[in-house]
Amino acid sequence: MVDMRLTDEQLELQSLVREFCEKELRPIAAECDRKSQSDPAGCFPVEALKAASKLGLRTLGLPREMGGRDIDTLTHCILLEEVMAVEPGFGAMFHQVWRLAQHISRVGTEEQREKYLIPFAEDDTCLISIAQTEPGSGTDNTFPYRGVDGGIKLSAVKDGNEWVLNGTKHFVACASTARIFIVIGRTEPDLPAPDGATQFLMWRDTPGFRVGRTHDKLGGALLMNAELILENVRVPESDILMGINEGFSDKARHYGRGAPMVATFGLGTARGAYEAALAYARETVRQGKPLIQHDPIAMRLADMLTLIEATRSAIWRAAWGSDNREHYLQRDAAVSSYFSTVCARTVCESAMQIFGKDGYLRNFPAEKYMRDALMTNHINNTVDVRLLKIGRALAGELVSPL
Ligand SMILES: Cc1cc2nc3c(=O)[nH]c(=O)nc-3n(C[C@H](O)[C@H](O)[C@H](O)COP(=O)(O)OP(=O)(O)OC[C@H]3O[C@@H](n4cnc5c(N)ncnc54)[C@H](O)[C@@H]3O)c2cc1C
């Protein structure tokens, strides 16, 4: 039975996250965004991350015995929505760190948990990145291409008890600021990438490993996407996560069930834009009455709210399915992920309309939400590929929703 009442722990964490966002993030969000336009690498609010760590928010994905809460998919979505509604780039960063700490704790060895997760828990600014996308392959990895000529090219060659990695990644979230990296390399160049790729764990200061330029993006600036350059990086065999050639395997399923989490990017961003527009419509008077009393504005807000509620229902249902394995439907997850993008774009555009000319100005929040919302058209999968995956699922094919 699906029961959507939140537990005491979910409510407690939700109000903790809300308080953090209002106190630490909302006051600095616009300024960080403005700074990112001249300095994409230098806009990250380290003090806000430290404050989050102090409250235990950075480490929510860790197991309880390591000081975390081992949050499930639904809880992840509930909390992520709160951050996305205030600062979508910072929210996406939380998503990444919660999910990847949990990934390492679930599929990693005891030695890997000690080597990576204990320092991660102790360092209040430590973030984790996963690097898959390369200049020549994005969709090839997320909508797997089975030709040997496509997919991940970063080469990983065995040399004794070590693997030697060479290649370039780009668009890697948090890379500009992260200390721990999961890099996916091609260990079997003669097999299709889905059968011949491996996840390698490494520290930022590993010899031969370098972070390149931080991407100058339209929105989601605090996600700090950057390039990675690997030149003869030597990784011990013991730092292979899961197993050789298991980079995209079923064992990575926990990671592959993240579609409702990524869908929350659009939901939270839409909610933030809606709340800003609602406040503006209540306080701005035109022709003797607040905007909200003008029917077209009230109808637009009603439409925005309806889309948000419908999106949340789709996401929570898919998240519940993800937490209750036997009820997980790839089609539902893919639908939630596609629909949230539609919701984000539509709601943010409506918010800009409600703000009138102010919607087009940088010192009002509507245009930033619109730019942040457009991030959801590209992240993990392009919006077209999400739709394509639903179509393939309808045709009876099993495709990962992420
Ligand atoms: C904000 C943000 C954060 C990101 N974070 C990360 C990260 O942390 N780690 C990481 O590794 N990557 C990350 N990415 C990269 C992201 O995963 C890729 O952008 C995404 O997979 C799409 O790949 P691409 O941009 O190379 O597009 P391409 O694959 O080059 O696609 C180009 C166009 O062709 C279409 N297309 C491609 N192949 C097909 C096909 N088979 N059928 C139909 N249409 C197709 C696409 O829909 C698109 O319109 C991030 C991207 C963004 C925007």
Side-chain angles (χ1 to χ4, degrees):
M1 192 190 81
V2 184
D3 181 351
M4 286 300 169
R5 278 171 300 184
L6 304 195
T7 64
D8 287 347
E9 186 176 36
Q10 285 167 336
L11 288 168
E12 172 222 319
L13 288 173
Q14 188 186 40
S15 73
L16 187 68
V17 172
R18 252 183 214 161
E19 218 174 286
F20 163 79
C21 291
E22 290 307 324
K23 192 167 161 229
E24 307 286 346
L25 280 186
R26 202 181 291 282
I28 58 166
E31 185 51 39
C32 290
D33 180 60
R34 218 164 284 129
K35 193 169 176 203
S36 77
Q37 285 156 22
S38 57
D39 183 13
C43 62
F44 190 72
V46 180
E47 292 309 315
L49 180 60
K50 286 183 181 168
S53 294
K54 209 167 173 184
L55 294 170
L57 299 183
R58 187 182 53 90
T59 46
L60 286 172
L62 285 177
R64 289 176 194 271
E65 64 273 17
M66 296 184 90
R69 301 281 191 123
D70 199 19
I71 51 172
D72 60 14
T73 309
L74 180 59
T75 310
H76 186 122
C77 295
I78 292 165
L79 304 182
L80 181 59
E81 180 185 328
E82 299 303 321
V83 197
M84 295 304 297
V86 176
E87 215 309 308
F90 205 84
M93 176 279 292
F94 264 137
H95 155 74
Q96 178 94 346
V97 80
W98 294 341
R99 189 171 177 219
L100 291 176
Q102 197 164 55
H103 178 55
I104 298 171
S105 79
R106 288 189 180 170
V107 303
T109 61
E110 202 43 53
E111 185 190 335
Q112 288 168 347
R113 279 191 284 274
E114 267 185 34
K115 183 171 172 185
Y116 290 96
L117 293 184
I118 291 178
F120 164 75
E122 286 168 354
D123 175 351
D124 61 359
T125 59
C126 188
L127 298 178
I128 311 175
S129 281
I130 185 158
Q132 170 176 290
T133 307
E134 296 175 2
S137 72
T139 307
D140 270 11
N141 306 312
T142 59
F143 186 62
Y145 173 63
R146 298 211 58 89
V148 289
D149 57 325
I152 282 174
K153 291 266 186 310
L154 186 135
S155 92
V157 177
K158 195 165 162 59
D159 181 22
N161 281 338
E162 293 179 328
W163 287 77
V164 184
L165 273 59
N166 279 288
T168 306
K169 299 284 182 186
H170 75 169
F171 249 92
V172 181
C174 304
S176 187
T177 39
R179 282 191 61 215
I180 297 171
F181 290 83
I182 301 170
V183 176
I184 309 185
R186 187 81 166 254
T187 27
E188 282 289 352
D190 297 332
L191 292 180
D195 302 326
T198 301
Q199 299 190 6
F200 295 90
L201 273 163
M202 63 196 71
W203 287 101
R204 187 187 185 96
D205 57 7
T206 306
F209 181 95
R210 177 157 67 82
V211 176
R213 85 193 147 109
T214 301
H215 297 292
D216 184 8
K217 308 196 301 296
L218 186 65
L222 300 188
L223 189 51
M224 309 301 290
N225 295 73
E227 292 172 330
L228 300 181
I229 299 116
L230 285 84
E231 288 168 336
N232 292 320
V233 172
R234 301 188 81 85
V235 181
E237 180 114 358
S238 55
D239 279 343
I240 286 181
L241 201 51
M242 298 181 293
I244 299 167
N245 299 331
E246 301 273 11
F248 291 125
S249 72
D250 281 354
K251 271 200 204 163
R253 192 174 296 149
H254 160 67
Y255 195 74
R257 284 188 178 204
M261 306 173 185
V262 177
T264 303
F265 288 17
L267 168 66
T269 309
R271 195 189 100 193
Y274 161 77
E275 286 171 352
L278 180 64
Y280 187 86
R282 283 180 174 151
E283 72 204 16
T284 307
V285 175
R286 293 287 182 269
Q287 301 199 350
K289 55 186 180 182
L291 282 178
I292 194 147
Q293 287 177 24
H294 293 267
D295 284 347
I297 299 283
M299 287 160 69
R300 212 179 251 283
L301 283 162
D303 187 58
M304 292 156 80
L305 178 64
T306 305
L307 263 177
I308 289 168
E309 293 293 337
T311 305
R312 187 182 295 112
S313 298
I315 291 174
W316 284 19
R317 189 171 67 143
W320 181 85
S322 173
D323 290 330
N324 296 273
R325 190 174 252 253
E326 66 278 20
H327 299 288
Y328 182 66
L329 284 179
Q330 296 204 331
R331 195 201 59 180
D332 283 0
V335 165
S336 75
S337 148
Y338 170 68
F339 191 56
S340 76
T341 302
V342 176
C343 168
R345 258 189 282 135
T346 314
V347 169
C348 291
E349 196 183 340
S350 273
M352 286 183 77
Q353 285 300 318
I354 290 172
F355 273 83
K357 66 184 181 319
D358 293 343
Y360 205 60
L361 291 180
R362 283 221 194 265
N363 53 340
F364 283 87
E367 67 81 33
K368 177 176 182 297
Y369 279 117
M370 185 76 236
R371 285 187 286 111
D372 290 338
L374 291 174
M375 169 167 79
T376 67
N377 278 348
H378 304 275
I379 206 155
N380 276 106
N381 276 303
T382 61
V383 68
D384 287 353
V385 171
R386 283 178 213 179
L387 208 48
L388 189 56
K389 285 187 173 187
I390 300 171
R392 290 288 159 88
L394 290 176
E397 274 178 44
L398 265 185
V399 281
S400 156
L402 253 190

